[in-house]
């Protein structure tokens, strides 16, 4: 008789925990999706902040150089060459200048390439199980399956009254 009670207790815990888990996932699914989306937005904002800090440091060094010796022609020529592009003085050679539209197009392509996920990763920040559970039909199915498992565990494997 003791062995039966142990098996009943194990089955009760198993059915109840699986039912409570599926019920919890179905109820909290929208919050979990929002959490993963916010985590992805935070990651992107931190990357952008790091890039801006790097640019700030670079420009800070250039400004500091110019402030130390504003009349130095070498630093002004170097800064002009870096900012405006090098001046070419080769005869009989055409050096194309990049237009603002061309530079914007190149920046967009590079931004798209850097934001594209590496091979083997999915494009979504959500785990695969959460993206499947967030579908309305599956969420309702999870909810009802959880309710059925909890009721089954309470009715079939709950404490048994001793009949005397």
């Amino acid at each position: 008789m003791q062995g039966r009670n142990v098996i009943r207790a194990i089955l009760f815990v198993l059915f109840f925990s699986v039912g409570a888990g599926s019920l919890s996932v179905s109820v909290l699914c929208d919050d979990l999706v929002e959490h993963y989306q916010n985590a992805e937005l935070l990651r992107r904002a931190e990357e952008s902040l790091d890039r801006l800090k790097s640019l700030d440091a670079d420009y800070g060094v250039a400004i500091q150089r110019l402030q130390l010796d504003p009349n130095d022609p070498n630093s002004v020529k170097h800064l002009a060459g870096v900012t405006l592009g090098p001046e070419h003085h080769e005869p009989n050679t055409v050096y194309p200048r990049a237009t603002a539209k061309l530079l914007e197009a190149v920046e967009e392509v590079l931004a798209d390439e850097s934001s594209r996920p590496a091979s083997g990763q999915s494009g979504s920040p959500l785990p695969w199980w959460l993206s499947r559970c967030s579908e309305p039909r599956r969420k309702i199915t999870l909810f009802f399956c959880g309710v059925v498992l909890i009721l089954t565990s309470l009715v079939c494997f709950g404490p048994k009254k001793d009949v005397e």
Side-chain angles (χ1 to χ4, degrees):
M1 202 55 145
Q2 191 67 297
R4 274 189 162 165
N5 287 337
V6 170
I7 292 174
R8 288 173 61 89
I10 290 173
L11 288 175
F12 175 80
V13 168
L14 180 71
F15 275 57
F16 190 83
S17 62
V18 170
S22 67
L23 195 65
S24 300
V25 166
S26 70
V27 170
L28 297 175
C29 185
D30 294 332
D31 293 332
L32 289 171
V33 167
E34 188 175 323
H35 167 73
Y36 279 101
Q37 288 173 345
N38 287 342
E40 179 66 18
L41 287 174
L42 178 65
R43 185 190 63 79
R44 287 183 185 169
E46 287 175 347
E47 286 177 357
S48 176
L49 182 63
D50 290 341
R51 191 170 54 243
L52 288 174
K53 283 181 181 179
S54 172
L55 285 173
D56 183 43
D58 292 344
Y59 286 129
V61 168
I63 289 172
Q64 187 179 21
R65 244 188 230 161
L66 285 175
Q67 285 176 346
L68 287 177
D69 192 12
N71 297 326
D72 182 22
N74 291 332
S75 63
V76 174
K77 281 183 183 178
H78 176 71
L79 187 59
V82 169
T83 307
L84 303 174
E87 286 290 324
H88 301 285
H89 300 291
E90 297 290 323
N92 299 327
T93 306
V94 176
Y95 294 101
R97 286 273 186 192
T99 62
K101 287 183 181 182
L102 181 63
L103 290 176
E104 285 180 18
V106 169
E107 285 177 2
E108 288 178 15
V109 168
L110 290 176
D112 289 343
E113 286 292 324
S114 66
S115 67
R116 192 175 294 161
S119 60
Q121 295 178 346
S122 66
S124 173
L126 294 176
W128 62 270
W129 60 269
L130 186 57
S131 62
R132 288 186 63 178
C133 292
S134 64
E135 297 172 10
R137 184 181 50 127
R138 293 183 187 205
K139 197 185 316 185
I140 292 171
T141 304
L142 268 175
F143 182 83
F144 285 121
C145 288
V147 169
V148 167
L149 282 171
I150 289 174
L151 289 177
T152 302
S153 67
L154 290 174
V155 170
C156 297
F157 305 114
K160 201 167 199 178
K161 295 180 182 175
D162 291 333
V163 179
E164 291 184 24

